[in-house]
Amino acid sequence: MFILESLGFIVFIVVILLIVGIVSGNLFFVVKQQHAVIIERLGKFHRIVGAGFHAKIPFVDRKAATVSLRTMKNGFDIDVKTEDNVTIGLEVSAQYHVSYELGNTPQESGVYKSYYMLQQPVAQMRDFITDALRSSIPVYTLDEVFAKKDDIAKDVNATVSEQMAAYGFTLVSTLITKIALPAEVENSMNQINAAQRTKAAAQDLAEADRIRRVTEAVAEAEAMEKAGEGIANQRKAIASGIKDSLEIIQETGVGNDEANQLFMFTQWTEMMNEFAKTGKSATVVLPSDFRQSASMFEQMVTAAEANEQGNTPSAQ
């Protein structure tokens, strides 16, 4: 009888607990997608459950923590010094999540480690990243930090990933999103950049001017060459014309000297006629003695008359 009464009492207690658990919502629970729930029994780790519908013993089991398995992001502002003693501010963005590894036992899983082994994971990760950056940045100059910031971030991510893995976290990526400079350093860099651009512009302008001058010189040389050829051809034509004119004049019986003087007088007369038409010349050269020209014309008239007399038949 005693045993039956004891079993009945136990069943009664269990039924009461089930009713209270159902009414209070402490018996069944649902875990959302990309989450895990740590169940403790009487204050001690019991099990880890994933997404879905689950049950636990009311007042004996409790949900110790709900761990998100989604990737999270945190930003940090870190001051570091470069090899050339410039203090810069880095804005670092870290993406991480609780490790998905299950391990051979629940205690080796990422969910267990992330909850039981580290009190402030974000603060600890910040310390690891700060230490890694302050160890790597001092070997680079300021210009090298700008040029190699992605490589630096990859090295930091590899170092910190190993450290955070021991606490059940996976560091997906570490990015250096901004490099802030002191105002005086930034102004100096802008001035250096402006000076370099001004120098490059001056060199380009000088090169363009050199090309222009060379082109003009080549064009001028070619023009002078062509002009020289024209002048030579012109003089050749003039000489040929003079020769023909002298031969025609000499056929009239005029001597060489008189023919030359006549030709010069004719050229001078043509020049004076052209001057009278245009009137653009500022200086006019006149013969100092016109008597030679007069004598030349007298001789020409005499020669012409003698020629006419020689050709006229005598009276019979």
Side-chain angles (χ1 to χ4, degrees):
M1 291 293 295
F2 178 76
I3 296 175
L4 292 175
E5 290 179 356
S6 298
L7 290 175
F9 179 75
I10 293 173
V11 171
F12 175 77
I13 295 298
V14 170
V15 171
I16 294 297
L17 290 175
L18 289 175
I19 294 172
V20 173
I22 294 173
V23 173
S24 63
N26 199 25
L27 177 61
F28 302 107
F29 64 96
V30 175
V31 179
K32 296 180 180 180
Q33 185 67 33
Q34 286 298 101
H35 288 78
V37 173
I38 297 175
I39 303 297
E40 292 181 345
R41 176 167 291 178
L42 299 177
K44 184 179 179 181
F45 172 78
H46 176 58
R47 61 193 172 108
I48 298 173
V49 295
F53 182 79
H54 302 279
K56 62 183 179 66
I57 300 175
F59 308 109
V60 177
D61 295 342
R62 77 178 187 93
K63 294 191 295 183
T66 300
V67 179
S68 175
L69 300 178
R70 292 180 296 182
T71 299
M72 296 167 283
K73 182 181 80 70
N74 280 91
F76 311 109
D77 295 328
I78 303 173
D79 294 332
V80 294
K81 181 176 287 189
T82 63
E83 184 183 22
D84 42 359
N85 293 323
V86 178
T87 301
I88 58 177
L90 302 179
E91 290 186 6
V92 181
S93 177
Q95 289 79 37
Y96 62 97
H97 61 76
V98 174
S99 176
Y100 302 141
E101 294 183 2
L102 299 178
N104 297 324
T105 62
Q107 287 76 8
E108 295 178 356
S109 67
V111 174
Y112 182 93
K113 292 179 181 180
S114 66
Y115 180 71
Y116 288 105
M117 297 187 66
L118 195 59
Q119 180 67 28
Q120 297 178 333
V122 175
Q124 186 62 58
M125 182 169 55
R126 173 192 173 91
D127 292 341
F128 284 149
I129 293 176
T130 301
D131 181 69
L133 284 172
R134 289 179 177 173
S135 298
S136 59
I137 292 294
V139 302
Y140 297 102
T141 63
L142 180 59
D143 293 336
E144 290 174 341
V145 171
F146 278 96
K148 300 181 179 180
K149 70 180 186 68
D150 292 338
D151 294 335
I152 295 173
K154 289 179 182 178
D155 293 339
V156 170
N157 187 79
T159 301
V160 179
S161 292
E162 295 180 1
Q163 296 170 327
M164 292 299 295
Y167 299 101
F169 287 90
T170 298
L171 191 60
V172 178
S173 65
T174 302
L175 303 175
I176 299 176
T177 57
K178 184 178 179 181
I179 302 175
L181 302 176
E184 59 275 11
V185 175
E186 186 172 358
N187 292 334
S188 299
M189 291 184 67
N190 290 335
Q191 292 175 1
I192 293 173
N193 188 31
Q196 291 175 345
R197 292 180 180 275
T198 301
K199 179 181 178 181
Q203 291 175 343
D204 292 340
L205 290 174
E207 180 65 16
D209 184 65
R210 185 189 69 82
I211 294 174
R212 180 183 62 81
R213 291 176 179 271
V214 170
T215 303
E216 290 179 352
V218 172
E220 184 178 358
E222 293 178 352
M224 292 179 65
E225 181 180 358
K226 297 298 182 182
E229 292 177 358
I231 292 173
N233 293 332
Q234 182 184 19
R235 290 177 177 175
K236 182 178 180 181
I238 292 173
S240 179
I242 292 173
K243 178 181 178 184
D244 295 339
S245 298
L246 289 176
E247 290 178 352
I248 294 173
I249 293 172
Q250 289 174 353
E251 290 177 357
T252 63
V254 179
N256 291 335
D257 293 337
E258 289 80 2
N260 288 332
Q261 291 179 5
L262 176 61
F263 181 77
M264 292 176 61
F265 182 79
T266 303
Q267 291 289 81
W268 180 81
T269 303
E270 291 178 355
M271 180 272 294
M272 292 302 294
N273 290 333
E274 184 67 22
F275 171 75
K277 292 179 181 179
T278 60
K280 296 182 179 179
S281 299
T283 304
V284 179
V285 179
L286 298 175
S288 60
D289 188 0
F290 286 95
R291 289 177 297 179
Q292 295 180 357
S293 299
S295 175
M296 177 184 64
F297 283 110
E298 291 176 356
Q299 295 175 12
M300 290 177 61
V301 172
T302 302
E305 292 177 350
N307 189 27
E308 291 177 357
Q309 292 176 1
N311 294 331
T312 301
S314 59
Q316 295 297 330

